[in-house]
Amino acid sequence: MKYLYAAIIIYLCFSCKKDGGGFLGMGEGGETTVQGKITERGSGKAVPYAHVNLRSLPKDANISVYRTDTALYADENGNYSFSFTADKDRDYHVLPRHELYDNRQSKTDIRTGRKNNLNPELDPWAWVRVHIINEPPLDTIAHIGYNNFQNPPNNVMGFCRDTILIGKLLGNRPTYVIEFWRYNRLNAVENSKRVDFYVPALDTIDHYFRY
């Protein structure tokens, strides 16, 4: 059995040396190739002409001071590729971006000194046009809250008789919520209302909210 263990260790050492990936392929710098495809999270559709950034920072850095080492664009099918010589004292990752997508969950780490096939996903934006209609008998004080809206602010306080708001949010998500609380003269909640809705990616829907 000990000969088997020795053979495995020798194989791992030679394999890592061959691809430059260090022990168990964790990376030790050197010539590095990265290729892949930028896609839309949820649908898997390609994101054409996404901006692809190669970023790095010193290993074990206490703060996230990233440096952009390479910047390029994916093609019309979302495909990209590049090569670089990695510094063994730095950590590297790919971060795509596109004006119609959110990239806060798109950072993808690179193993240096080897070939990488990385397919980051971007979250598509969507928009909802909310038409707030206050029907007779008119309420003078109300609180209308929005969950997960990026803008406008997540709530509106006061008398909204006929108000239109445009909200930005992440598309292709199961549900978004509009909540309403109506207050009486003693500033106590008199009744409440909740509306769930779904917004497709890169689309705008109209939602009429009556109270």
Side-chain angles (χ1 to χ4, degrees):
M1 183 64 69
K2 63 180 181 180
Y3 296 108
L4 176 61
Y5 290 151
I8 292 174
I9 292 174
I10 293 173
Y11 171 77
L12 288 174
C13 291
F14 276 98
S15 296
C16 295
K17 183 177 180 181
K18 180 180 179 181
D19 67 15
F23 185 66
L24 297 182
M26 294 307 294
E28 291 184 347
E31 291 301 315
T32 305
T33 300
V34 183
Q35 64 181 22
K37 186 173 185 175
I38 311 299
T39 60
E40 178 182 288
R41 193 186 309 277
S43 70
K45 295 179 180 178
V47 179
Y49 308 114
H51 193 201
V52 181
N53 292 298
L54 167 65
R55 303 201 309 175
S56 67
L57 77 166
K59 290 183 180 294
D60 303 322
N62 293 324
I63 56 175
S64 298
V65 182
Y66 294 107
R67 182 183 76 191
T68 300
D69 296 273
T70 298
L72 66 152
Y73 287 95
D75 64 18
E76 66 274 12
N77 297 311
N79 297 313
Y80 73 97
S81 64
F82 61 88
S83 298
F84 68 102
T85 302
D87 184 339
K88 64 182 180 61
D89 295 321
R90 299 185 70 84
D91 290 322
Y92 295 83
H93 65 259
V94 169
L95 183 68
R97 63 181 178 86
H98 191 285
E99 61 182 359
L100 297 179
Y101 294 83
D102 179 66
N103 69 347
R104 285 172 292 181
Q105 299 184 39
S106 303
K107 183 171 77 71
T108 307
D109 293 332
I110 296 173
R111 289 184 175 182
T112 58
R114 60 185 298 171
K115 294 181 179 179
N116 292 257
N117 186 27
L118 305 179
N119 302 299
E121 295 179 312
L122 289 167
D123 288 291
W125 289 117
W127 295 265
V128 59
R129 185 184 297 109
V130 182
H131 190 174
I132 304 170
I133 303 171
N134 189 200
E135 298 178 321
L138 302 180
D139 299 303
T140 56
I141 299 178
H143 177 96
I144 301 174
Y146 312 89
N147 290 3
N148 301 312
F149 275 39
Q150 303 296 317
N151 69 301
N154 285 335
N155 62 79
V156 177
M157 184 71 181
F159 176 48
C160 303
R161 183 169 185 175
D162 192 1
T163 304
I164 296 178
L165 302 172
I166 303 294
K168 180 181 179 181
L169 44 85
L170 294 175
N172 282 347
R173 297 299 174 93
T175 183
Y176 283 94
V177 178
I178 296 179
E179 296 177 308
F180 160 74
W181 299 269
R182 186 171 61 197
Y183 298 87
N184 58 25
R185 293 182 179 180
L186 298 178
N187 205 32
V189 176
E190 196 170 73
N191 61 24
S192 62
K193 184 177 181 181
R194 172 182 169 131
V195 180
D196 297 346
F197 60 95
Y198 172 85
V199 184
L202 306 180
D203 199 358
T204 302
I205 68 167
D206 290 294
H207 186 84
Y208 294 89
F209 190 83
R210 301 177 185 272
Y211 71 99

